[in-house]
Amino acid sequence: MRKTLLLMALLLACMGLSAQNYHINLHNNGSVIYNNDVNTIDEIRFQGHQPANMLINGQNGTLTFPLSTFDSITFVKEELPPAGDTVFIIYNGSNVNVVNPFSNNGVTVSTSNANVTVNSTMANVPYVVSGSSSNGSLTMYSTSSFYLALSSLSLASTSTAAINLASNVGVTLALRGTSSLADGANSSLNAALYAAGSLNVGGLGTLCVTGNAKHGTAVEGSMTVNSGTIRIFDTDSDGIHGSSNLTWNGGTLEIVSAGSDGLDISGTITINNGDLTINTTAESQRSIKVTNAFTMTGGSLSCNVTGNDCKGIKGDADINISGGTVDVQVSGTGSHGISSDTDVVIGGTADITVVSSSQDGKCIKSDGTVHVNGGTLELTHSGDISKGITATSDVTITGGEITITASGSTILENVNNQNVPAYCTAIKSDADITISGGTFHITLPTTNHGGKAISADGNLTINNGDFTITTQGNGASYTVSGSTKDAYTSSCLKCDGNMQILAGNYTLSSSGTGGKGINVGGTLVIGQQGANNDDLFLNVTTSGERITVSSGGGGWPGPGGGGGDYANPKGVKAQGNLTINSGNITVHCTQTQNEGGECIESKATLTINGGNIEAYSVKDDAVNAAQNLTINGGIYYAHSDANDGTDSNGTMFLNGGLNISNGARSPEEGFDCDNNQFKITGSTSIGTGGGTSNPTQNVCTQPSLKINTQQGYAIQILKSDGTVICTYQCPTFTGGGGGGWPGGGGNGMVMLFTDPQLQTGQSYTVKYNGTISGGTNWNGYYTGNVTYSGGSQTTVNVNSMVTTVSAGGGGW
């Protein structure tokens, strides 16, 4: 009697919870044998003075539960099937207890030992399955959709699927407590949980699945997961195998040691929320494989790929990640983190981390295009010839924060009986790369030999962005075939086609041997004509020494002789034409041992239309052009400690701008025009060095002064009325040749000066060896309120396009 009173008091107290959508559960040994909405129960009463039964009166009649069948009652708040009475299937070893209130309404439940078959012609029937059996199964046929709750169920079959949802209808699966399913190794259904129709998963419980025959779960229709936890262990094949679409809206997925793919979906995969962890250990498998589009807008996805030739996320179609967190760990040879046969699109708030130690692995790979328009990417790849982002077609980046550490090395591959280097590259396109925004932190450490930070086989165009790129690994020489030798070197920005750097902020540093800041196979354009210089800040530094490809026979010019072949470090190098229109551009080449470290070089023509440019080289020309160098405007400063400040192996035209160029002791020059087609039509230009090329008289339209002076002298040039044209502090030699040939003594210097205020038929005063004070000093050129005192002076009459002046120095 005391037990009856306590139960009645408990039930009466809990009935007040019905307004909050609570549910009543009857338990036996941890399994739920009955559950229902509290608000669908009209009455709960006990039968007899010493009750043997509890009677629950609901909408569809009265259910009777002997007190011996349950040991506790709980009330829970969770998502359950719709209101109404429920079919209960309770496994107990080799036996099954069934409560079927719909036996006269089209629901038949038959049992054979612990194998249960349900046939239903009734719509929306709720089923609750609980208990335990190590040799049982549940097969369900229905002409209409139904609801199935697994309530702390432990069910294993030795011959078939644990649960076979055999009809092509929609099933809502609710998870309660912790349930486990395992199939027989010889099952023809190839899954522990099989659904012929669609499957919608929810609830607050956990489902553990072991697929002994093949897959853990196989769904022929679409599958949607809203909540709950699914754990899949030790499958012989896929963790979840789907023939249609998979949508993950919430809940947790854990797949461990899938024998094949973690998720293998023939339709689409959409992840909107939830936590998914998938481990792939077998070779040539995928954590996620999807035939159609993969879309992720939220949630957390973690993939661990340890087999060779594997993929973290593999899409036969587009991969689009606009939100959520993705963490992919890759270690197998030839394995990739994210890989699409078509396009990869990353943006929004996506947070993606890929760590790869795979040789020839790719963090993000597309056989189509890659588009990054936002999000955060942190890619680390240490395998040889690995890639951070790579695409067969174009790479387009408009935003996002991209951090890449590419520490793998270069490998020589045999192609048509020739050694061809394959590089470890941070961002690589077999076609074009276009960047118009984003923040880039790219590091190629000392272990990356000859790698590239950003590299396009086609064109590279950058319209904006913030770039911090460091390459530290040494390049190397190698044998192509027979006696043919070549070398590979690192580059911060590299393309085989044409490059445009139009705006943005760049800090590029290359410290390995032969390393280059910018290396262009075609034409290079820096800055936009007429643009604000502050739209572009380009700072390039190289410090690695040159690489000897083949040594020469000795003698001039240079170490090793004229026959030597070297892979030289370069700050900015274009194989084709190079044009600078605007921007704040600073290039330092600080190599200290050998020639070759030029700051800005074009193997064709170099044209400067504007910008603020400073180039400083320790060992070679600061600026060099193979065919023609033309300066039309801008503010230009070039300095070399050991060679020419500005050198053209062809013609040189000074048409405008403010230009200062310092060379070393003779035979080096401030302005060196090798074939003496040196044309001056405008500009304020000062060139100093051990000598200078003579402007070509018959083509110049603006005269110049060739001043023989001494290093360190202060020079001031005045018109006949006393107007100051130029005040300049000559530099002091810090390197270069020895004695004073052809100037006077070891301190001799030649200063070439031209200015629009110089006119033929006029006389000018040249002051020298005085002292300058006040004013504003820009690389020795003074403007503003300048005071010149002391020293000596001479008067010169300008009667031709080039007039020689002696200002304390010897003759040339």
Side-chain angles (χ1 to χ4, degrees), residues 478-697:
Y478 66 96
T479 299
V480 178
S481 63
S483 61
T484 303
K485 296 183 179 296
D486 204 342
Y488 55 80
T489 61
S490 294
S491 299
C492 296
L493 302 178
K494 166 75 167 62
C495 75
D496 293 340
N498 303 322
M499 185 183 298
Q500 295 185 79
I501 302 175
L502 304 178
N505 300 300
Y506 305 79
T507 300
L508 311 180
S509 174
S510 182
S511 59
T513 54
K516 296 168 179 63
I518 298 173
N519 189 9
V520 184
T523 63
L524 170 62
V525 176
I526 300 176
Q528 302 183 67
Q529 266 192 302
N532 189 324
N533 286 329
D534 288 346
D535 291 343
L536 170 62
F537 287 87
L538 175 61
N539 190 313
V540 182
T541 303
T542 66
S543 59
E545 297 296 331
R546 70 185 184 186
I547 299 169
T548 299
V549 179
S550 60
S551 59
W556 189 87
D565 184 16
Y566 306 97
N568 293 307
K570 306 288 181 181
V572 177
K573 177 187 176 183
Q575 201 68 30
N577 297 336
L578 194 165
T579 302
I580 300 175
N581 292 315
S582 61
N584 294 284
I585 302 161
T586 303
V587 185
H588 284 188
C589 292
T590 61
Q591 295 78 12
T592 59
Q593 300 299 317
N594 298 293
E595 292 180 327
E598 293 170 321
C599 297
I600 301 173
E601 180 189 37
S602 167
K603 290 298 186 181
T605 65
L606 169 59
T607 303
I608 298 173
N609 295 316
N612 298 321
I613 304 163
E614 294 198 12
Y616 177 86
S617 174
V618 173
K619 277 293 182 179
D620 212 318
D621 301 334
V623 177
N624 178 271
Q627 297 175 9
N628 170 265
L629 190 151
T630 297
I631 301 178
N632 295 318
I635 300 174
Y636 169 89
Y637 175 72
H639 178 97
S640 174
D641 284 347
N643 219 306
D644 299 322
T646 303
D647 182 13
S648 174
N649 303 124
T651 56
M652 183 182 297
F653 303 149
L654 300 182
N655 300 323
L658 172 60
N659 312 303
I660 297 177
S661 180
N662 300 326
R665 290 184 172 91
S666 61
E668 314 305 343
E669 303 171 353
F671 290 108
D672 182 3
C673 180
D674 286 357
N675 67 4
N676 289 321
Q677 297 181 38
F678 185 6
K679 180 179 179 180
I680 300 176
T681 65
S683 79
T684 297
S685 299
I686 301 172
T688 61
T692 185
S693 289
N694 291 315
T696 306
Q697 296 264 9

Side-chain angles (χ1 to χ4, degrees), residues 25-34 69-74:
N25 288 347
L26 303 185
H27 301 267
N28 187 351
N29 291 323
S31 298
V32 176
I33 65 170
Y34 171 85
T69 62
F70 66 95
D71 53 26
S72 62
I73 302 174
T74 60

Side-chain angles (χ1 to χ4, degrees), residues 436-461:
S436 58
T439 301
F440 300 79
H441 308 277
I442 301 178
T443 302
L444 277 60
T446 55
T447 54
N448 184 323
H449 302 291
K452 323 298 178 189
I454 300 177
S455 176
D457 288 352
N459 302 323
L460 172 58
T461 301

Side-chain angles (χ1 to χ4, degrees), residues 341-353:
D341 288 351
T342 56
D343 299 335
V344 175
V345 181
I346 296 170
T349 59
D351 187 350
I352 299 175
T353 300

